């Protein structure tokens, strides 16, 4: 069964840094893309960053220049390096993987990890 497990969340002061990781297992087919989403308290889920190849990345305007997404060589792990964190970055962060199944692509999600930016 497909499992995505996030780690690295926690509490950090404004201006600080955190590194999130997501390990994917149970995926035997090709992974097309991996991404990070977040859901701030009382708000809808939003896309933070996505990558399909090590050199192909995209970021939300709100995190551009502060966050970096990366994948390992096997494309089964994705990281999100976050710096210059702001209180507005407080959210549950979710790992997302797009992979092939039955001739099409499906979306799988992790359980989420809490990031709190507070002084």
């Amino acid at each position: 069964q497909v499992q995505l497990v996030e780690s690295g969340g926690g509490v950090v002061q404004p201006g600080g840094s955190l590194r999130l990781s997501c390990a994917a297992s149970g995926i035997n087919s090709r992974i097309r893309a991996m991404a990070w989403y977040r859901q701030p308290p009382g708000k809808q889920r939003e896309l933070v960053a996505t990558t399909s190849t090590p050199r192909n990345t995209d970021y939300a305007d709100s995190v551009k220049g502060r966050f970096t997404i990366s994948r390992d060589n096997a494309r089964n792990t994705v990281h999100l390096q976050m710096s210059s964190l702001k209180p507005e970055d407080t959210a549950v962060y979710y790992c997302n993987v797009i992979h092939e199944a039955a001739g099409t692509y499906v979306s799988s999600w992790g359980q989420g990890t809490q990031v709190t930016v507070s002084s």
Side-chain angles (χ1 to χ4, degrees):
Q1 187 173 358
V2 175
Q3 286 190 325
L4 278 66
V5 180
E6 299 103 332
S7 61
V11 180
V12 64
Q13 294 182 3
S17 299
L18 284 175
R19 185 172 186 260
L20 306 183
S21 298
C22 173
S25 62
I27 302 177
N28 297 319
S29 59
R30 174 179 174 83
I31 294 176
R32 182 181 183 185
M34 305 184 80
W36 287 95
Y37 288 75
R38 68 184 182 186
Q39 186 169 14
K43 298 183 178 181
Q44 298 185 60
R45 184 183 63 188
E46 63 184 13
L47 178 65
V48 177
T50 184
T51 180
S52 57
T53 69
R55 302 184 188 277
N56 185 9
T57 60
D58 198 11
Y59 300 90
D61 290 340
S62 59
V63 307
K64 198 169 298 181
R66 300 187 298 119
F67 291 10
T68 301
I69 189 171
S70 61
R71 296 170 65 178
D72 69 4
N73 293 331
R75 298 183 176 180
N76 64 342
T77 302
V78 63
H79 307 279
L80 186 68
Q81 179 67 49
M82 307 183 295
S83 62
S84 301
L85 284 163
K86 306 174 181 179
E88 304 86 78
D89 296 318
T90 295
V92 178
Y93 284 71
Y94 296 93
C95 176
N96 174 254
V97 176
I98 304 297
H99 57 99
E100 187 176 87
T104 187
Y105 288 103
V106 299
S107 177
S108 297
W109 295 88
Q111 81 287 350
T113 185
Q114 177 71 47
V115 172
T116 301
V117 185
S118 176
S119 60

